[in-house]
Amino acid sequence: MFYLTLTQILPLIMRTILLLLVSNTFMTFAWYGHLKRPDLPIWKAILISWGIAFFEYLFMVPANKLGYGQFNAFQLKTIQEAITLVVFVVFAVFYLKEPLKWNYLLGFFLVFLAVWVVFRK
């Protein structure tokens, strides 16, 4: 029987980025998901966030293990922060229903400019 594994289909760089994307999605919900429930007691929000963060680690740690070597630690962290912003924008606009303003976009552009600087040779 012939089948392809994820390792055979996606190059290492793409697997790293995909794992970081999934990881950051979990973490965004852990950090900010409770904001839709202002009535939720803080202790419950903390316990729920810890539970969600566990799943974040299941993706973040392998992403960093896989990516280290293809990227250095500074580059991995920079990629992670850029992905965090992208995930957060989608989350804030569609889940929290917050408006996306021009100054937020300008600030995010500057962060992505920093990504470009980090990856310059």
Side-chain angles (χ1 to χ4, degrees):
M1 178 182 272
F2 178 76
Y3 65 95
L4 293 174
T5 64
L6 188 60
T7 306
Q8 295 166 317
I9 296 171
L10 291 176
L12 188 60
I13 291 171
M14 290 306 298
R15 282 184 280 152
T16 300
I17 291 171
L18 181 63
L19 287 168
L20 288 172
L21 180 66
V22 173
S23 160
N24 276 282
T25 300
F26 277 111
M27 206 63 207
T28 299
F29 273 94
W31 286 347
Y32 303 103
H34 59 87
L35 297 179
K36 277 194 96 160
R37 295 276 320 274
D39 59 317
L40 189 67
I42 191 71
W43 68 270
K44 282 186 182 179
I46 291 169
L47 289 178
I48 291 167
S49 292
W50 278 352
I52 295 169
F54 169 78
F55 294 99
E56 183 263 346
Y57 278 85
L58 291 178
F59 292 94
M60 180 63 77
V61 172
N64 288 327
K65 292 286 267 181
L66 273 173
Y68 191 66
Q70 289 289 92
F71 303 107
N72 65 41
F74 290 102
Q75 291 170 327
L76 273 171
K77 182 59 179 171
T78 304
I79 293 167
Q80 186 267 329
E81 292 300 333
I83 290 171
T84 296
L85 277 178
V86 171
V87 168
F88 182 79
V89 166
V90 172
F91 177 86
V93 170
F94 292 103
Y95 185 76
L96 294 177
K97 307 287 188 222
E98 294 197 5
L100 186 58
K101 299 178 180 176
W102 72 267
N103 55 324
Y104 303 154
L105 291 173
L106 177 59
F108 296 158
F109 170 77
L110 294 173
V111 171
F112 282 101
L113 185 60
V115 171
W116 177 75
V117 169
V118 167
F119 278 89
R120 295 232 359 144
K121 300 256 183 215

